[in-house]
Amino acid sequence: MKCVFCGGKAEMQNVTFIHDENNDYLFIENVPAEVCLQCGEKTYSPAVTDDLLRLAKRKLQPAKMVEVPVFDYAHQA
Ligand SMILES: [Zn+2]
């Protein structure tokens, strides 16, 4: 498959999807996506996108909870 953005070669990989909405974050691991080897753009199939949206609504129990350090680039010491 070719990247729709740059025309580079895209390859099936398992990636971590990061959902960010109103400072509410969640990660979804092992998501199959076409990843462009040139620009890194990720493309999800329509079926996977549906699943991601369902998971993002937190209808299921998460597999695990993690604490994530958050840095603000604009407020570096
Ligand atoms: Zn690309």
Side-chain angles (χ1 to χ4, degrees):
M1 189 184 145
K2 273 193 174 179
C3 173
V4 292
F5 292 91
C6 74
K9 186 171 149 49
E11 195 177 81
M12 207 63 186
Q13 286 180 17
N14 279 343
V15 304
T16 299
F17 176 82
I18 301 170
H19 178 75
D20 164 14
E21 202 177 337
N22 306 319
N23 276 332
D24 188 23
Y25 296 93
L26 62 89
F27 297 167
I28 304 173
E29 292 182 319
N30 300 314
V31 182
E34 295 276 355
V35 181
C36 177
L37 301 178
Q38 200 159 287
C39 72
E41 186 62 39
K42 300 181 189 80
T43 309
Y44 304 98
S45 73
V48 168
T49 304
D50 278 358
D51 285 345
L52 291 174
L53 290 174
R54 226 186 333 253
L55 287 168
K57 287 179 185 148
R58 295 167 187 263
K59 291 281 195 290
L60 299 171
Q61 275 298 104
K64 65 185 175 191
M65 300 290 280
V66 293
E67 273 189 63
V68 182
V70 179
F71 298 92
D72 187 342
Y73 186 81
H75 293 92
Q76 293 178 89

